[in-house]
């Protein structure tokens, strides 16, 4: 079957679209369970659409461009997890076709075919959040654009304009997902070996990459929230995850498959290709492959969408494996085995019961307890925990959208500065409910009398509700 895509004709293109539609239809049409990352993106977009500012009023590590996309969708009334999945499926299709065309344009493959697009679409099935409009998926788009500009420099020669555009594309990738900025290192290494870039052009790439970030930083400096900006924006540059939706067995297992596929294709291509420019391309993608695998270990939340940076490399090298190895039967068996393994694993994770009990992931959002839903639904809530079930039917209040970023220390309540911070957070957006499983509120209520005048305990464990007619921070 894979041999069919070794030609770049229109009938192959139509078959590719039909195959992709068949692969996506069960997930897009029949999966009715929302993911944990999706509820956080939705609540963030709603909050920003209501006028709250990113970082300054909402402790969230989401980069500015995805946050603006979520806010724009919320303004249009389209911020639904189904919409996010349809948009992501379309974006992945566009990435696959554009990457396939880029490889032909810069002669990274020997003849016109749809192999790269085919494997790109297959290998993107890494987990359910890979087919939702995630920051990593958006960043991967700009990373692909940056590689296209780099290959233009590699083929046609260096110019200051190309260096500037390359840096700006990387800067936009950083504003989608912060660790994407690390791809400047494999590009620098490749440029050092294979291009005639001058020292000032290396500096130009770096400055151009930092330029979009500088604009965002200036906005937060002028408007307030400078310290929160650095706290949240730099949070993904950490090797120790603050929350894990999947285990290392899934993360390294799936990532290892893509890495081994890439290495096998890289070895086969280097041994059999006689075109110097293609061999340079293999090396460039090899340097980037190493960095892509390293990004698996970065972030605040461990999930499968971090593996998306490996997809272009695995698709590219798998296509080279199909073009440069002998034996049609071996090619078919090897490629179909890898594809079947990834697709079956994807739909294993998509199934809520199988994914949770057998694969052990926690990517799907569970329902809140029935007692909570029956009595406290549709009220703004402050959740002092990483239990995001309570956001399913209740919008978040205050800046503590992602509790794991708040870095709340119980000793903070015992200090004057800590009490001022708590007062400001509660007064700027008084919640109607406060869920406190870690028992932070009793100590706060003792030291802050106004809390007791505005909130009372409910029959539900560790849940406080606002007293009717009273609002924290407002005198009667």
């Amino acid at each position: 079957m894979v041999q069919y895509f070794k030609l770049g004709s229109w009938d192959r293109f139509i078959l590719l679209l039909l195959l992709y539609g068949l692969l996506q239809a069960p997930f897009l049409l029949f999966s009715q369970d929302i993911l944990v990352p999706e509820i956080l993106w939705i609540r963030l977009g709603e909050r920003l659409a209501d006028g709250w500012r990113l970082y300054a009023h909402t402790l969230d590590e989401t980069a500015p461009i995805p946050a603006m996309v979520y806010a724009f969708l919320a303004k249009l009334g389209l911020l639904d997890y189904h919409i996010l999945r349809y948009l992501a499926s379309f974006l992945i299709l566009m990435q696959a076709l554009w990457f396939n065309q880029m490889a032909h344009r810069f002669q990274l493959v020997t003849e016109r075919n749809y192999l790269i697009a085919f494997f790109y679409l297959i290998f993107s099935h890494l987990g359910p959040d890979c087919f939702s409009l995630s920051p990593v998926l958006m960043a991967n788009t700009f990373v692909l654009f940056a590689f296209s500009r780099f290959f233009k420099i590699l083929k046609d020669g260096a110019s200051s304009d190309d260096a500037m555009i390359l840096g700006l594309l990387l800067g936009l990738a950083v504003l989608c997902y912060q660790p994407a900025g690390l791809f400047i290192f494999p590009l620098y290494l490749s440029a050092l070996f294979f291009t005639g870039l001058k020292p000032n052009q290396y500096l130009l790439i770096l400055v151009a990459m930092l330029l979009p970030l500088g604009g965002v930083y200036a906005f937060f400096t002028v408007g307030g929230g400078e310290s929160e900006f650095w706290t949240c924006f730099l949070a993904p540059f950490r090797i120790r995850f603050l929350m894990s939706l999947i285990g290392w067995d899934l993360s390294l297992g799936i990532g290892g498959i893509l890495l081994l596929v890439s290495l096998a294709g890289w070895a086969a291509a280097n041994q059999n290709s006689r075109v110097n420019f293609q061999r340079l391309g293999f090396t460039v993608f090899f340097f980037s492959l190493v960095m892509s695998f390293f990004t698996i270990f970065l972030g605040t939340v461990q999930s499968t969408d971090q593996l998306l940076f490996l997809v272009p490399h695995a698709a590219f090298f798998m296509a080279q494996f199909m073009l440069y190895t002998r034996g049609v039967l071996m090619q078919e068996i090897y490629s179909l085995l890898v594809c079947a393994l990834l697709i079956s694993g994807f739909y294993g994770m998509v199934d809520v019961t199988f994914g949770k009990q057998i694969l052990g992931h926690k990517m799907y959002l569970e329902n809140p307890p029935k007692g909570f839903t029956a009595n406290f639904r549709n009220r703004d809530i402050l959740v002092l925990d990483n239990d995001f079930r309570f956001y399913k039917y209740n919008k978040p209040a205050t800046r503590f959208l992602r509790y794991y970023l708040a870095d709340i220390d119980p000793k903070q309540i015992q200090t004057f500065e800590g009490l001022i911070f708590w007062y400001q957070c509660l007064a700027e957006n008084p919640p109607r409910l406060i869920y406190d499983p870690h028992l932070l509120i009793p100590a706060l209520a003792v030291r802050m009398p106004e809390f007791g005048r505005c909130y009372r305990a409910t029959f539900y464990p560790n849940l406080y509700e606002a007293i009717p007619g009273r609002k924290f921070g407002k005198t009667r």
Side-chain angles (χ1 to χ4, degrees), residues 199-247:
N200 65 310
Q201 291 174 325
Y202 286 97
L203 181 61
L204 184 60
I205 293 174
L206 179 61
V207 171
M209 186 185 77
L210 297 177
L211 191 61
L213 175 60
V216 174
Y217 173 67
F219 171 81
F220 283 94
T221 301
V222 174
E226 179 183 1
S227 60
E228 290 84 358
F229 169 79
W230 288 119
T231 300
C232 297
F233 193 83
L234 297 179
F237 290 99
R238 58 186 303 128
I239 295 180
R240 180 177 173 270
F241 294 105
L242 298 175
M243 187 176 72
S244 295
L245 300 179
I246 60 174

Side-chain angles (χ1 to χ4, degrees), residues 225-331:
E226 179 183 1
S227 60
E228 290 84 358
F229 169 79
W230 288 119
T231 300
C232 297
F233 193 83
L234 297 179
F237 290 99
R238 58 186 303 128
I239 295 180
R240 180 177 173 270
F241 294 105
L242 298 175
M243 187 176 72
S244 295
L245 300 179
I246 60 174
W248 282 110
D249 52 345
L250 274 179
S251 182
L252 293 181
I254 300 173
I257 292 174
L258 295 180
L259 181 64
L260 291 176
V261 165
S262 301
L263 292 177
W266 174 76
N270 272 283
Q271 289 177 0
N272 295 281
S273 177
R274 297 294 180 266
V275 182
N276 289 333
F277 188 79
Q278 289 181 0
R279 294 169 70 90
L280 295 182
F282 302 155
T283 307
V284 171
F285 277 111
F286 177 80
F287 291 155
S288 179
L289 172 67
V290 176
M291 184 56 65
S292 299
F293 190 77
F294 176 71
T295 59
I296 296 175
F297 302 94
L298 297 177
T300 53
V301 179
Q302 186 178 20
S303 190
T304 53
D305 67 332
Q306 294 160 317
L307 300 168
L308 281 170
F309 286 133
L310 283 168
V311 171
H313 307 84
F316 175 77
F317 284 123
M318 187 67 179
Q320 303 298 339
F321 183 89
M322 295 292 293
L323 293 172
Y324 287 110
T325 55
R326 298 179 180 178
V328 174
L329 182 60
M330 184 193 72
Q331 293 177 0

Side-chain angles (χ1 to χ4, degrees), residues 4 41 113 146 212 246 252 262 267 301 348 384 407 421 441 453 455:
Y4 192 76
W41 299 331
N113 57 69
I246 60 174
L252 293 181
S262 301
V301 179
L384 297 173
D407 194 25
F421 177 71
I441 293 301
R453 292 195 295 268
Y455 291 93

Side-chain angles (χ1 to χ4, degrees), residues 43 367-381 390 392-395 432-433 463:
R43 294 306 183 213
N367 285 315
K370 292 183 178 180
F372 176 87
T373 305
N375 296 279
F376 304 103
R377 186 169 176 168
N378 296 325
R379 302 189 197 179
D380 293 350
I381 186 171
F390 296 95
K392 188 167 187 177
Y393 304 113
N394 301 72
K395 291 185 178 181
R432 296 180 63 188
L433 298 172
L463 186 70

Side-chain angles (χ1 to χ4, degrees), residues 92-170:
I92 287 179
L93 177 61
M94 293 300 100
Q95 287 178 359
L97 296 176
W98 189 88
F99 187 41
N100 194 87
Q101 191 269 341
M102 184 198 79
H104 296 147
R105 184 169 70 252
F106 294 111
Q107 300 175 351
L108 300 177
V109 292
T110 54
E111 56 189 17
R112 186 170 182 82
N113 57 69
Y114 284 111
L115 284 175
I116 293 179
F118 169 78
F119 287 119
Y120 197 105
L121 297 176
I122 296 294
F123 291 168
S124 296
H125 290 79
L126 304 173
D129 57 342
C130 293
F131 279 94
S132 190
L133 196 61
S134 69
V136 181
L137 179 59
M138 298 185 208
N140 207 21
T141 304
F142 290 107
V143 171
L144 289 176
F145 290 161
F147 273 98
S148 175
R149 182 60 55 169
F150 180 80
F151 280 112
K152 182 179 183 298
I153 294 174
L154 193 62
K155 184 177 181 181
D156 300 333
S159 70
S160 297
D161 290 342
D162 288 329
M164 174 68 79
I165 294 174
L166 174 60
L168 288 174
L169 290 171
L170 286 175

